[in-house]
Amino acid sequence: MADLKGKVAVITGAASGIGLAGVETFIAAGAKVIAGDIQDEKGRALETRFGKDKLRFVHCDVTNMDELKAIMDAAPAAFGSLDIVWNNAGHGGTPTSVEELDLDGFDATINLLLKQVFAGTKFAIPHMKAKGGSIINTSSISAVSAGYAPITYSVAKKGVAHFSKLAAAELSKYKIRVNAILPGFIATSIFGASLGLPREVADQMAEMLAQAGGKMQPIGRVGRGADIAEMAAFLASDAAGFITGGEFLVDGGMTVGPRHSWDETAASPVLESLGISPEQAEQMRLAQQAAAKG
Ligand code: NAI
């Protein structure tokens, strides 16, 4: 486990899913946490669970620049410093194609997913520039290729990854490290919430996904918030002192290649185009093997 003793972290989107796992992991690693979210009831329950000496909840809508600045200011006010920022809050974004895109939806998605990362970083700098720090931004595998999320969401997440690299270069003079994590399929409420379902239903759906989603990546199990939080805790720690400007895939291998490259039961598109089924391909392979043995 990473060592975060003596460090103070701000985590946004901290009431659920990946952010909540971040709160649990960071506190277990010895950090104090300012947890921000728009789900106030869940956020306040975190104060009761961990105690106000370890965690403070601050209502923070990351699209509200005053609230975003205030949560960065809350860290030194409550716990004496700001050493780690995890810009993590998010939503699935507007689910439309370019052709049908509602331009207000585009602006809203970019504001929520990209502008907050830019602004969250900007508001953290005054608190970090004297002694350095670690900024972690949640991107996504949708930054890598099509097919994982709506187009505006994916564009924003690509922006998050690239912004992290550029900010890492710029902020190196202050010893502020900036890295992006690209999660794969993680069983959280985001899928239900992005379909417009009430949070309680979205929360139940997260557990259903956890049960059903194991076959979506080569590693053979579903991703959990803790898988992402462990990477974030490492990046936040002094053990990652030489790591900045990085993009870290944490996806159980989901992006290693097309399904047939890791699932023997899935058809190769080349063989499919020749009308050869996976069973026939296997028979041909065995026949070739037998011929080679003589
Ligand atoms: P989640 O829905 O469980 O948690 C997201 C949290 O962000 C919620 O607590 C929500 O209340 C909060 N939030 C939403 N809008 C907000 C706003 N305007 N201001 C402050 N808080 C706000 O979802 P999850 O999966 O934990 O998402 C966390 C991050 O991970 C997001 O940025 C998401 O895009 C990203 N991600 C998730 C993946 C997945 O498969 N679950 C894959 C790749 C990226």
Side-chain angles (χ1 to χ4, degrees):
M1 173 183 281
D3 181 2
L4 300 180
K5 276 194 275 310
K7 295 191 187 292
V8 180
V10 165
I11 303 178
T12 66
S16 173
I18 293 170
L20 176 58
V23 167
E24 293 165 346
T25 306
F26 280 30
I27 288 183
K32 296 189 176 188
V33 174
I34 303 286
D37 207 293
I38 48 176
Q39 295 194 69
D40 293 350
E41 206 175 311
K42 286 184 186 167
R44 278 193 292 272
L46 291 176
E47 286 189 341
T48 313
R49 178 175 164 196
F50 293 105
K52 281 190 161 192
D53 56 327
K54 293 202 180 100
L55 179 141
R56 302 283 172 87
F57 174 69
V58 175
H59 170 91
C60 173
D61 178 341
V62 296
T63 63
N64 179 319
M65 293 302 110
D66 293 336
E67 291 182 10
L68 192 54
K69 181 173 182 307
I71 196 171
M72 301 303 164
D73 297 346
F79 295 129
S81 68
L82 175 61
D83 309 291
I84 305 160
V85 171
W86 187 0
N87 293 306
N88 168 73
H91 182 269
T94 187
T96 44
S97 63
V98 181
E99 201 177 0
E100 294 165 349
L101 189 64
D102 152 12
L103 292 177
D104 291 339
F106 179 88
D107 287 348
T109 303
I110 297 293
N111 265 347
L112 172 58
L113 296 176
L114 183 55
K115 185 179 175 188
Q116 61 124 337
V117 169
F118 182 92
T121 302
K122 176 181 172 59
F123 298 142
I125 294 170
H127 302 301
M128 286 185 165
K129 66 194 282 187
K131 66 181 181 100
S134 171
I135 297 176
I136 300 144
N137 299 317
T138 308
S139 174
S140 162
I141 55 167
S142 65
V144 174
S145 97
Y148 296 118
I151 188 162
T152 317
Y153 176 98
S154 308
V155 166
K157 291 297 191 181
K158 182 76 182 179
V160 168
H162 200 52
F163 167 77
S164 303
K165 195 175 285 295
L166 303 185
E170 204 178 290
L171 299 179
S172 58
K173 63 182 176 228
Y174 300 134
K175 298 200 168 21
I176 299 175
R177 297 181 295 106
V178 188
N179 290 289
I181 302 179
L182 284 60
F185 173 63
I186 312 298
T188 71
S189 312
I190 198 167
F191 300 97
S194 300
L195 290 170
L197 299 172
R199 262 289 158 183
E200 312 78 66
V201 182
D203 290 348
Q204 286 163 11
M205 192 183 263
E207 212 25 61
M208 281 163 57
L209 289 170
Q211 302 306 321
K215 291 196 177 138
M216 288 176 60
Q217 49 278 311
I219 214 83
R221 70 165 174 83
V222 78
R224 295 286 195 170
D227 293 311
I228 309 305
E230 289 292 345
M231 173 58 91
F234 169 66
L235 291 172
S237 74
D238 293 341
F242 198 56
I243 301 177
T244 193
E247 294 177 17
F248 297 93
L249 280 169
V250 185
D251 69 348
M254 195 173 223
T255 52
V256 292
R259 183 166 197 98
H260 72 274
S261 67
W262 50 270
D263 179 353
E264 287 170 3
T265 64
S268 143
V270 175
L271 296 179
E272 222 169 27
S273 70
L274 295 169
I276 299 172
S277 70
E279 295 74 29
Q280 286 169 321
E282 179 61 7
Q283 281 166 11
M284 289 161 80
R285 192 185 65 79
L286 291 173
Q288 238 182 357
Q289 224 174 30
K293 278 185 190 155

